[in-house]
Structure formats: C-alpha cells, structure tokens
Amino acid sequence: MNMIQAINSALDVMMGRDPDVVVMGEDVGFFGGVFRATAGLQAKYGKNRVFDTPITECGIIGVAVGMGAYGLRPVPEIQFADYIYPALDQLVSEAARLRYRSAGEFIAPMTVRSPFGGGIFGGQTHSQSPEGIFTHVSGIKTVIPSTPYDAKGLLIAAIEDNDPTLFFEPKRIYNGPFDGHYDRPAKSWAGHADAQVPEGYYRIPLGKARTVREGEALTILCYGTMVHVVASTVAEADIDAEIIDLRTLVPLDIEAIEASVRKTGRCLIVHEATRTGGFGAELSALVQERCFHHLEAPIERVTGFDTPYPHSLEWAYFPGPIRIREAMAKILKD
Amino acid sequence: MAERNGAGDRTAGDRAGRNLPPLSLYVPEPHFRPGDQADFSGFDIPAADAAPRPDETSAAGDMRDMAYGLVRVLDEGGNAVGAWNPNLPPETLLKMLRAMALTRAFDERMFRAQRQGKTSFYMKCTGEEAVAVAAAMALDRDDMCFPSYRQQGLLIARDWSIVDMMNQIYSNKADRMRGRQLPIMYSVREAGFFSISGNLTTQYPQAVGWAMASAARGDTRIAATWCGEGSTAEGDFHSACTFASVYRAPVILNVVNNQWAISSFSGFAGAESTTFAARAVGYGIAGLRIDGNDALAVYAATRWAADRARSNAGPTLIEHFTYRVEGHSTSDDPGQYRSADEGSHWPLGDPIARLKQHCIGLGIWDEERHAAMDAELASMVKDAAREAEKNGILGHGMHQPFETMFEDVFEEMPWHLKEQLQQAIDEKKAAGL
C-alpha cells in the first residue's frame, strides 16, 4: 500500500470495528477526499458516518468536540495543515482542555487528520509544517508518520486514544518516499519494505520512536518526509549515523533519544518547519539537559528558514541533502 | 516630490480638487451614558397577544416575520394571553417561580461572598432568570445544554445541588473541578450541563455537533446552547448556524440579548441594523424573537423549538430580548459606561415580578407566600453557603493536593508531566515547604 491507501485502510478498519468512529471534513464524503484518503468510506459506511462539511475549520473542529462529548469518536480532516488556524481556538481552548477543565467529565477523543509539509511546490499555503504550534499546547498529542506501515498503525492507535490527537500526514510521501533529490524521478512505495501493510487491525503505540538506522557516529532526530531525506543523505555520505524517526512528538520517546545520544555523543535535528520556536528547539534543549556530559559537539539543527514557504524558491528553502550533509560534517569535525 | 511607498501614505490633501465628499466612519453610540436620564418611551412593545404561533414544522422561510416581532404571553396585568400561552399547570408555574427566585437569591449570596473575599470572581444573571429557568423546564432533563457563563438557572431549575455549585465557586476540597476552573465555570454532566469555557461562543458549534451525533445515532435527545448578543459576532456563531442549517441539526440556538457586552451596547454586535433573531433568516433557520423577561414566553418558545427539533424539522434560533440589570461581573462597574437608572426603566420589567403577578392573578399565590418563600430561600442559600464553606473558601489557600494539577491533562500522565510533578515536589522540599 502507499501511504494514502494505508490511511484509508486504517479508517476502514476502525470504522468497521467501532460504530462510534465518524469521518468528516471538506470533500471527504462522496468524493473521497482531495488526496483520496477517504475514498469508498461513505459508500461502505453511509452518510451518517462519513460526510462532507461546509468550508469552516472552526466549525469542523467545534462540531467534532460536541460529537466527542456525545460519545462518538470523530476523525475530522483539515484539508491542508496550512488551513488549521481558523480551528486553533477550538483545538487549543476546547479540545485540548476539555478533560482537564471538567476533571474528566467530558473528553475529546478525536483524531484530526491533516496533510502537511512541503516539497510539492505548494507555495505558502500548501506546504506548512505547523506542528510546533501544537506541541506547545498541553493536552494535545501530535503524531507524524513517515511510512505506510507506520501511518496505518499510528492512525489506528490515535483513533483509539481517548486524548485529542493531531495526525499530520506528510503529503510529499503519500505516493512514495522522497530522498530530497527533487531533480530525480519520483519513486513509488511499490516494493518498499515499509509499504508491506497488513489488511487488518494492528497498532503502533503512540510515544514510541523507531530507529531507522543504527549507527555510532552521530544521532539524527527527524520525522515525516525528512526521515527519508536523512536516510538517503546518510547512505550517500557513507556516515555511520543513527537515525531516529520520532513518529510521535507529544508524548515524545525521550528514552530512545537519550540512549542514542549518550551512545553517539553528537546530535543533529532535522525538520521542515521554520527554525525559531520550532519543535527542534525543544529537542535541542532536552538533549542538552539530559546528555550534556556525553556531548562532544554542539547540537545542530537543519530546518526550514524563518520565512514563509516560498513557491519558486522551494528547493533553496527545503532542508535537503546538501544542508544535511554539511551539518553532519560540521558535527563530526572535532 | 518625495517618493511615496504606497496607498497608505496618501493623504486627503492628495485628493483635493477631485470634488468628492469625504467619507465618514460610523461608530455606534448607546442612547444613554452615565449621568443621562434613561427614557424608553419610544420603545415599541408589541401587545402580548400580537404574535401568531406558527406550526412547529413550518418552513423557516414562512417564519420570517417572527424574527422581527416579539413573542409575549404575559400582558401588563400579568394575564397569560394569546396563541403562545403554554397553559401550564399551577405546580409548574410555582416551581418555575421558585427556581427563578432561588437563582436570584443564590446570585445575591455569591456576589456578597466575592465582596467578602471568599472567592475571586462571580457573575450574576439578575433580570435574566427566566431565560435559563423556563428553558430548562421546557426541555427534557436528558437534553444536553451548552451554556455560556450566565445560565446558572439551568442547574437550579434542574434541581442541581447549590452546595455543589458553591464548592466550585470556592474552589474548595469538594470542588469536582478540583480547583482548576475560574468560579462559575461549572461542569455537570449528570444534569446535562456541558463544561463552561471562558472562550466565547465555542460552545455553539459543539452543541450543533452533539445534536448531529444524536441525530446520526437515531437518538431522541436534542441539544440547546446559549450565547450573549455580543458573542454572536464571533466566527463560531456563524459556523454553528451554517452547520445547524446544513444538517438540520436538532438544536436550539439561544441568543440572550441583554443589551450589553461588558461596556459595549448591543449596537456593536449589529443591533442597530436588525434583530438577532433575524440572523436566522439568512441561514434558513427558524427564528423567534421573544420577551426574555416573560417566563411563559421563554417556556413556550423553547417548547416550540424542542418539538420542532424532535420532529426532525431542524434547528431554531431564539433571541431572548432582556436586560442585564447588574454589572457584567464582580470585576465590572457599569456606572462607568451606562446610565445608572437604565435598569429600573427597562420596559419589559422584572421576570420574577411578572411571573409572581401572574400567579397571584390566578389565585394560586399571594404576597405573603412570596415573602415567605424569599425568606426561606435566603436562609436555604445561607445554610448551603455555610455548608460549602466547611469545605473551604478560596482565600484559605489550596484545598486540592497540588499534585492534582498535573492530572487529567491527558488520560494517562506522560513522562514529561510526571517529571514536572517530581520537580515541583523537589522544589517544595528544597524550599522547606
């Protein structure tokens, strides 16, 4: 399966298992979603469980909070993460705090799916990576898969989870892994080991990272599309890096991070999102606090620049292989 | 000539000679400010029997006039008249009167408690008791209410423990919200009262979602929600009305038009151009504009809307035309922005006085019994406050173990919160606390 099919399969499996699971969002019903992630679900489960919504993100999330309060398990879609901001108040002030402020009387067991990330010439409003805004909010979990296998297992776990969860889907790797070489032919997921996705139910626990590659020279912390860019760059540069795909940002797999950096003594953080106040800053602070005496070089960050996501200058902006290679060389210099 | 960067640098002088009248910005201004004599003599009050009562399943488009009129039942003599008279039995009328009087007595006591330093904050609903109490009585107990912060009457009409409400206000050891929420931000799932949020109108789409869920599951329960007229300006109001209309959600959308949003008069929410019930017209929702100080009108309209929702005929938006008699909150001094005597001149009167007059006219009530009830309720509230104070008051420090601060952020406490909890414990220990 490619990542779209894996996500579709996760939704299908959960809708089949749990009558409380409902799918809603712009164009998700009859049409099956602008990325086809919800294709076939309305025909199979009916309009009461899979339905199109008006174009109002604050409405979609607000309605989902109410459905959760009733006892359903909504899986709303925000068509692009760039358009999640109108729903910010409902996510931050309501979904994230409902359990806390009502001391558990009401909960918001929703999973908000949203395509995110760049690398597709999406320009300013189809490329953003806003995860850092949400990792800053207490009460919300943030999950970002990097393979079809993980996407299905993590999405099932997110839907089953009783806390509000943001599930950001890197749209650049919906159809195939992306190594950062935009000038080479696109690859598909066909034949990829991580595209072997079981048809039925399985889950990958939230809060557990995946070691993509074991290594001794340095630790690279990454997630989403960047996992593939990093893996490819490491292979090309022939560096013995340990690559950790975080998979869940909140709650974070701090044990995996600590164990790796204590072993390698060096740490590189890579994400597409802009640098200042990005999740990389939190990762850097955690590594510094917990692995200080093991560090042999300053922690480096390769991230998007602190600019809006540009259209024609995309490949100058995207944190690609050249920047990652340079950062590795800098860390390994001493 | 200096180079200009853009249109923003243009001045009126640049356009001189073009012979256009200057534009002017209109900023609304309330009729009466501090020091002014309030005068509502020009206020048009339709007769109590003037409004027709359409069938509950009428098409929204056929109800247009209802959004511009005023549904009233009690006339100036306190008689129930017209098509909207719900013809309630005496025991229902007296229960309603009692719940409204209890709401007012509760407000009085808690306002005083705030002034005495027993809690940090309180908000009264004086003058608006009918809006919540009569609505609660017209709904079924298992219908879910999504209130704003000024519908305490819902809980009281549903016979919820006032000691429990006070425990929340005092953030004491019996506070079910564990001292986390600002006073009056109740949550009572058992009484169909959704957790109150400080963020305005967020409850609106949530109520619609609850109602949609109920419909999708083939349930028979409906949802109701409340916001003030000021809050109708929020985007959530629009999204909720759109969703409610599109899916014909079994929901009642109440707008409590009490004329004031803190210091801003209703003109800043658009009241000078139209009514709030008329918002419904554009969404294709049935809209009713009613006398919010007339408990029987509130009851009848709510019952109408509930019947409409239960028969799958869709949502109703009800504008309750009323007046916020007191300050916005204990932190507010309305003398700074409005005429001091406005409330006493309010032409729709006092909801409790009007229902009392009606009951007396029916011969089921009298002044002596009313005075006795007021005395009884005052002492009941006093006893309840004493009882709640045994569990602690805010001024006496934390009544919940501070460790509970870290609970319920998530279903299970993740490692980073466990660490922060431990850090808090260690810091206290190190400080010798």
Side-chain angles (χ1 to χ4, degrees), chain A residues 4 103 250:
Chain A
I4 295 278
V250 176

Side-chain angles (χ1 to χ4, degrees), chain A residues 1-333:
Chain A
M1 292 185 195
N2 64 28
M3 194 183 281
I4 295 278
Q5 292 161 333
I7 286 162
N8 186 271
S9 175
L11 293 170
D12 188 11
V13 164
M14 286 313 295
M15 293 196 79
R17 284 169 69 97
D18 183 350
D20 290 335
V21 175
V22 294
V23 167
M24 56 191 284
E26 296 156 17
D27 305 297
V28 306
F30 183 84
F31 179 55
V34 294
F35 290 104
R36 318 304 304 148
T38 55
L41 295 177
Q42 187 180 74
K44 187 167 177 183
Y45 296 103
K47 291 198 286 186
N48 275 356
R49 294 189 60 200
V50 183
F51 55 91
D52 294 308
T53 64
I55 303 173
T56 160
E57 288 77 15
C58 69
I60 292 169
I61 301 302
V63 161
V65 170
M67 289 181 150
Y70 178 90
L72 301 188
R73 201 168 278 277
V75 188
E77 176 183 303
I78 300 295
Q79 202 161 77
F80 287 87
D82 313 66
Y83 303 132
I84 205 165
Y85 309 122
L88 209 58
D89 190 32
Q90 285 287 350
L91 286 166
V92 174
S93 310
E94 302 296 320
R97 297 190 193 152
L98 188 53
R99 177 191 294 278
Y100 190 75
R101 76 173 196 230
S102 72
E105 273 202 335
F106 295 96
I107 60 170
M110 64 159 86
T111 302
V112 183
R113 291 183 40 250
S114 192
F116 101 130
I120 59 151
F121 275 110
Q124 295 186 23
T125 55
H126 299 82
S127 308
Q128 293 170 37
S129 300
E131 69 274 17
I133 291 173
F134 296 99
T135 54
H136 187 61
V137 176
S138 46
I140 283 185
K141 292 179 177 174
T142 302
V143 179
I144 301 172
S146 70
T147 68
Y149 181 83
D150 278 9
K152 179 170 175 179
L154 288 167
L155 181 53
I156 287 174
I159 293 171
E160 286 186 335
D161 196 279
N162 284 328
D163 295 316
T165 303
L166 281 170
F167 192 83
F168 285 125
E169 302 166 1
K171 56 184 152 345
R172 183 62 182 82
I173 55 172
Y174 266 157
N175 293 309
F178 176 59
D179 61 11
H181 293 287
Y182 56 93
D183 45 354
R184 295 180 191 168
K187 293 191 200 88
S188 86
W189 283 108
H192 197 288
D194 293 326
Q196 300 297 315
V197 179
E199 293 289 336
Y201 172 91
Y202 68 94
R203 54 182 285 160
I204 296 173
L206 305 185
K208 289 276 171 250
R210 175 176 71 104
T211 303
V212 178
R213 182 194 189 283
E214 289 190 10
E216 303 291 332
L218 81 159
T219 298
I220 306 181
L221 305 178
C222 52
Y223 47 89
T225 302
M226 299 319 296
V227 170
H228 303 281
V229 179
V230 164
S232 160
T233 309
V234 163
E236 287 164 11
D238 195 22
I239 288 170
D240 189 24
E242 181 144 302
I243 303 171
I244 296 182
D245 174 1
L246 298 174
R247 297 202 288 201
T248 306
L249 304 191
V250 176
L252 186 67
D253 189 347
I254 193 67
E255 286 175 14
I257 295 170
E258 268 188 61
S260 179
V261 177
R262 284 174 184 219
K263 180 177 73 173
T264 64
R266 296 165 204 268
C267 180
L268 169 64
I269 295 157
V270 184
H271 62 57
E272 279 182 75
T274 49
R275 184 181 184 89
T276 303
F279 191 66
E282 181 64 31
L283 288 171
S284 177
L286 286 168
V287 169
Q288 190 273 141
E289 286 162 3
R290 289 158 184 269
C291 308
F292 184 77
H293 296 291
H294 298 267
L295 285 174
E296 292 166 41
I299 302 159
E300 289 286 329
R301 283 182 284 164
V302 173
T303 70
F305 296 115
D306 284 340
T307 71
Y309 204 106
H311 182 241
S312 69
L313 306 175
E314 172 147 63
W315 301 117
Y317 175 91
F318 188 88
I322 296 170
R323 291 182 59 206
I324 293 167
R325 204 168 53 225
E326 291 302 314
M328 287 195 293
K330 191 174 169 193
I331 293 174
L332 293 172
K333 199 171 59 195

Side-chain angles (χ1 to χ4, degrees), chain A residues 19-20 22 24 48-49 51-54 56 58-72 86 89-90 93-107 137-141 161-164 250-254 258 286 290, chain B residues 144 146 176-178 180-181 185 187-190 193-217 219 221 235-236 238-240 242-243 246-247 404-412 414-416 419:
Chain A
D20 290 335
V22 294
M24 56 191 284
N48 275 356
R49 294 189 60 200
F51 55 91
D52 294 308
T53 64
T56 160
C58 69
I60 292 169
I61 301 302
V63 161
V65 170
M67 289 181 150
Y70 178 90
L72 301 188
D89 190 32
Q90 285 287 350
S93 310
E94 302 296 320
R97 297 190 193 152
L98 188 53
R99 177 191 294 278
Y100 190 75
R101 76 173 196 230
S102 72
E105 273 202 335
F106 295 96
I107 60 170
V137 176
S138 46
I140 283 185
K141 292 179 177 174
D161 196 279
N162 284 328
D163 295 316
V250 176
L252 186 67
D253 189 347
I254 193 67
E258 268 188 61
L286 286 168
R290 289 158 184 269
Chain B
M144 182 60 87
F146 289 76
R176 291 177 304 103
M177 304 300 104
R178 314 191 82 175
R180 292 174 187 152
Q181 270 279 49
M185 304 281 183
S187 178
V188 189
R189 190 184 177 94
E190 219 181 307
F193 189 98
F194 185 72
S195 158
I196 296 177
S197 167
N199 297 62
L200 298 175
T201 331
T202 50
Q203 72 277 11
Y204 247 62
Q206 293 165 2
V208 175
W210 196 98
M212 287 172 65
S214 183
R217 295 308 287 273
D219 200 340
R221 293 176 291 165
D236 278 330
H238 170 65
S239 71
T242 303
F243 262 86
V246 167
Y247 303 96
T404 61
M405 174 169 66
F406 297 91
E407 295 168 7
D408 296 326
V409 178
F410 296 98
E411 184 172 37
E412 284 168 33
W415 68 267
H416 63 282
E419 275 196 7

Side-chain angles (χ1 to χ4, degrees), chain B residues 252-316:
Chain B
I252 305 173
L253 307 166
N254 294 285
V255 175
V256 183
N257 177 6
N258 66 12
Q259 317 301 322
W260 290 95
I262 309 187
S263 76
S264 302
F265 87 116
S266 57
F268 283 101
E272 290 189 338
S273 307
T274 184
T275 71
F276 293 97
R279 304 280 190 255
V281 175
Y283 293 104
I285 295 174
L288 295 172
R289 186 162 178 269
I290 71 166
D291 178 348
N293 289 13
D294 178 344
L296 298 187
V298 174
Y299 185 99
T302 306
R303 200 54 186 265
W304 187 96
D307 288 347
R308 180 177 179 84
R310 277 189 232 287
S311 57
N312 283 308
T316 303

